[in-house]
Amino acid sequence: MKVLILGGTGMLGYPTALEFLRGGHEVHTVSSRPARIDAEFDKGVHQHALNLTDAGDEDLLNVLRGMDVLIYALGPDDRVTPPAPALTYFRRELADRTARLLTLARQAGVRKAVVFGSYFATFDRLHPAWGLAARHPYVQARVEQARRAIQAGQEPGAAPRMDVVILEIPYVFGVTPGREPFWKAVLFDRVRGGRVALYPKGGSVVMTTTQLAQAAVGAALHGPHGAHYPVGDVNMTWTDLIGLIRSELGVSPRVVHVPEFLTRLNLQAEGRRHRAQGLESGLNPDTLAADIMYRELYPDVQESRRVLGYTSGGVQEAIRQTVRASYPARG
């Protein structure tokens, strides 16, 4: 197959490109300037120079024509705190841009698109009573992204038709050569100090970038139109995850759980600071603790693994490698 990966030089796109290459497929990426990552990527991937944000429809169609598969690995995640209202930003960057690019991909004759989404959408679908999309702009935008992507693939009366598959992605660990892992600032720097780590009680399913890449290839080969696949490998409590990170950093792995009301108060104070600056988080700080942070977010991934064919194992070592890559001076 000829595969175009949008976001192909990023943390998730890079291993996906390698996985397709190793399967004998022809891999293309698009970025504003060519990337140099490692010998396998640099030699095997066809890189197209194009600024996706500013590109017109015809420029995008020229890149998309002749491709069999589109992997959409673009878009901000919940780490971004944009100018208020957050929903306007996340809807534009996730739902609107995905719908536009997938509509063009269908018009260009692409047969299959795989969209990298969020497992927050999984829980909004499985537990509507939680009200995640109603209270959190980022979750609402992710739900809209998936819905509009699927509609773009097989819009009634439009031709040709394109199958669209959604991967709902949890915490992912892995290393891209020459890149500092984003986990360093987001998580590692926050939990590396002190005699103990103070953290909420809860947990998440976790997977490696290699497993996600395998899932993306499986989705391109086997996923039917409109399918949503929550993916992951190991269910980890925050105690286990933070303890493993701190152990790799050479400090005490002990984690002490913070009462939910204290976390809620801290998050609400942060929300007030953001509002004073004209900003708004994609995850509502007033309810984030109870809605997400203190829950065990463990989706059932057995059907996803069966259909997509990704392997099991290696999560703990991927976390250790990501920690080591974040602090190379430690040796």
Side-chain angles (χ1 to χ4, degrees):
M1 299 183 298
K2 291 182 69 173
V3 181
L4 176 63
I5 304 177
L6 301 182
T9 62
M11 172 190 170
L12 305 183
Y14 157 75
T16 302
L18 296 187
E19 192 68 25
F20 274 105
L21 282 176
R22 292 164 185 167
H25 306 288
E26 181 180 320
V27 180
H28 298 250
T29 64
V30 178
S31 57
S32 56
R33 62 174 65 91
R36 294 290 177 261
I37 300 180
D38 60 22
E40 184 178 10
F41 183 94
D42 298 347
K43 181 180 179 180
V45 174
H46 303 269
Q47 299 192 54
H48 302 265
L50 184 66
N51 187 320
L52 291 171
T53 301
D54 300 328
D57 288 359
E58 194 56 40
D59 289 332
L60 292 167
L61 285 167
N62 287 336
V63 174
L64 289 160
R65 289 187 181 107
M67 299 296 167
D68 300 304
V69 173
L70 173 67
I71 306 295
Y72 193 92
L74 292 174
D77 59 28
D78 58 276
R79 293 170 294 155
V80 177
T81 304
L87 182 58
T88 298
Y89 170 82
F90 285 110
R91 178 176 281 152
R92 180 183 71 243
E93 297 298 318
L94 293 172
D96 293 349
R97 290 192 174 175
T98 304
R100 178 198 176 206
L101 281 161
L102 265 63
T103 297
L104 292 171
R106 188 199 70 230
Q107 293 170 2
V110 176
R111 301 195 312 252
K112 173 71 71 70
V114 179
V115 176
F116 285 12
S118 168
Y119 80 153
F120 290 148
T122 307
F123 293 101
D124 184 69
R125 183 175 66 255
L126 297 178
H127 302 282
W130 292 6
L132 296 183
R135 287 197 287 268
H136 301 280
Y138 174 74
V139 180
Q140 182 175 339
R142 282 295 191 183
V143 171
E144 290 183 12
Q145 177 192 33
R147 175 179 55 79
R148 293 181 60 189
I150 291 168
Q151 289 175 345
Q154 297 198 357
E155 186 176 344
R161 296 165 72 84
M162 177 179 71
D163 291 343
V164 178
V165 181
I166 311 297
L167 294 184
E168 296 173 331
I169 300 171
Y171 278 45
V172 183
F173 290 90
V175 175
T176 301
R179 306 284 179 87
E180 180 180 277
F182 74 81
W183 287 115
K184 179 180 184 297
V186 171
L187 181 60
F188 300 163
D189 286 348
R190 298 184 179 188
V191 302
R192 66 182 303 207
R195 290 181 294 178
V196 299
L198 302 177
Y199 215 76
K201 185 177 183 180
S204 174
V205 67
V206 182
M207 71 189 308
T208 70
T209 53
T210 298
Q211 291 168 330
L212 177 60
Q214 293 169 348
V217 173
L221 293 172
H222 308 298
H225 177 67
H228 298 252
Y229 290 109
V231 292
D233 186 30
V234 177
N235 294 334
M236 299 187 74
T237 65
W238 299 137
T239 298
D240 291 340
L241 176 61
I242 303 306
L244 178 59
I245 292 166
R246 284 175 58 88
S247 179
E248 185 61 35
L249 287 167
V251 297
S252 168
R254 187 182 175 204
V255 178
V256 174
H257 294 302
V258 180
E260 187 269 336
F261 81 92
L262 288 179
T263 300
R264 184 175 69 250
L265 291 175
N266 286 331
L267 289 170
Q268 289 171 344
E270 183 178 32
R272 289 192 293 271
R273 289 193 294 270
H274 286 158
R275 287 192 292 272
Q277 299 168 6
L279 306 176
E280 183 183 11
S281 173
L283 298 177
N284 183 348
D286 291 338
T287 64
L288 175 59
D291 285 350
I292 294 174
M293 295 180 70
Y294 282 78
R295 283 196 163 114
E296 293 184 338
L297 301 179
Y298 302 154
D300 183 353
V301 301
Q302 295 310 306
E303 179 65 10
S304 299
R305 193 192 302 276
R306 185 190 68 79
V307 175
L308 305 179
Y310 64 93
T311 59
S312 181
V315 166
Q316 285 79 9
E317 181 55 29
I319 295 170
R320 294 187 184 98
Q321 289 175 351
T322 309
V323 172
R324 292 195 292 269
S326 298
Y327 305 98
R330 296 180 64 249

